[in-house]
């Protein structure tokens, strides 16, 4: 199996408190991995380190690209790590309640688009094509989770369990 994420001897200190102590793990392609533990065990601290929210005290973290080459995560900003292909979600979801289900998914894909402010204002062909690609990819994600029939429903009208 090929690694996707590799963490080596990760430690995180907050003043005199060590929240993570030499944690090492490898997540391979195709694996589903869970990190479990009681409150205060360091789970959120771990995720904050690998997603660039915290800079770890010690250790190295690597995200492997599609070709299998390791890319060092240490010192990278969260938006850079997201662009590399790894992002996190939070337990408390925040939907844009006045927007449609499809539009909410499209916002989640924003980090995959390139059009800037000028493109949004000028609406050139490239920007329109990129927007259509985002619509198509977002709809495909809705199909994957069987919510395609709700694509045009405003988010506030959906139960959280939908």
């Amino acid at each position: 199996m090929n690694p996707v994420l590799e963490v080596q001897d990760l430690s995180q200190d907050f003043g005199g408190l060590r929240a993570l102590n030499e944690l090492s793990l490898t997540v391979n392609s195709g694996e589903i991995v869970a990190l479990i533990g009681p409150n205060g065990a360091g789970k959120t601290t771990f995720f904050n380190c690998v997603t660039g929210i915290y800079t770890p005290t010690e250790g190295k973290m690597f995200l492997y690209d599609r070709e299998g080459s390791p890319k060092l995560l240490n010192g990278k900003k969260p938006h850079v790590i997201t662009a590399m292909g790894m992002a996190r979600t939070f337990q408390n979801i925040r939907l844009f309640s006045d927007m449609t289900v499809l539009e909410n998914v499209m916002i989640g894909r924003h980090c995959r688009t390139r059009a800037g402010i000028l493109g949004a204002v000028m609406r050139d062909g490239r920007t329109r094509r990129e927007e259509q690609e985002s619509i198509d990819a977002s709809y495909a994600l809705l199909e994957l989770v069987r919510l395609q029939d709700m694509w045009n429903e405003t988010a506030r009208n959906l139960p959280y369990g939908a």
Side-chain angles (χ1 to χ4, degrees), residues 55-117:
T55 300
T57 306
E58 297 173 10
K60 294 193 188 255
M61 306 167 299
F62 299 94
L63 184 65
Y64 286 74
D65 63 19
R66 292 182 191 268
E67 289 76 40
S69 299
K71 305 296 179 194
L72 186 67
L73 297 177
N74 296 63
K76 294 202 173 21
K77 303 265 186 212
H79 72 278
V80 173
I81 293 173
T82 298
M84 293 170 69
M86 182 170 58
R88 66 171 294 173
T89 60
F90 296 88
Q91 287 178 322
N92 296 327
I93 61 171
R94 298 285 184 248
L95 298 175
F96 295 94
S97 61
D98 291 328
M99 296 173 72
T100 68
V101 171
L102 181 66
E103 290 166 338
N104 270 272
V105 175
M106 288 174 66
I107 287 172
R109 293 194 76 261
H110 176 71
C111 63
R112 302 283 177 249
T113 61
R114 299 199 186 282
I117 294 171

Side-chain angles (χ1 to χ4, degrees), residues 18-73:
R18 179 153 276 201
L20 297 175
N21 187 34
E22 299 178 6
L23 183 141
S24 295
L25 69 87
T26 301
V27 178
N28 291 306
S29 177
E31 283 186 322
I32 296 174
V33 176
L35 187 60
I36 60 172
N39 290 344
K43 301 178 300 290
T44 300
T45 299
F46 169 78
F47 288 115
N48 285 341
C49 286
V50 297
T51 58
I53 294 171
Y54 294 162
T55 300
T57 306
E58 297 173 10
K60 294 193 188 255
M61 306 167 299
F62 299 94
L63 184 65
Y64 286 74
D65 63 19
R66 292 182 191 268
E67 289 76 40
S69 299
K71 305 296 179 194
L72 186 67
L73 297 177

Side-chain angles (χ1 to χ4, degrees), residues 113-151:
T113 61
R114 299 199 186 282
I117 294 171
L118 185 60
V121 171
M122 300 300 288
R123 303 275 305 141
D124 62 354
R126 187 175 132 230
T127 301
R128 289 192 310 274
R129 278 190 304 278
E130 182 180 66
E131 182 178 9
Q132 187 60 54
E133 289 168 5
S134 184
I135 290 168
D136 295 343
S138 297
Y139 190 82
L141 291 170
L142 289 174
E143 288 179 318
L144 184 68
V145 295
R146 298 184 181 151
L147 285 176
Q148 71 273 10
D149 293 341
M150 307 295 268
W151 74 272

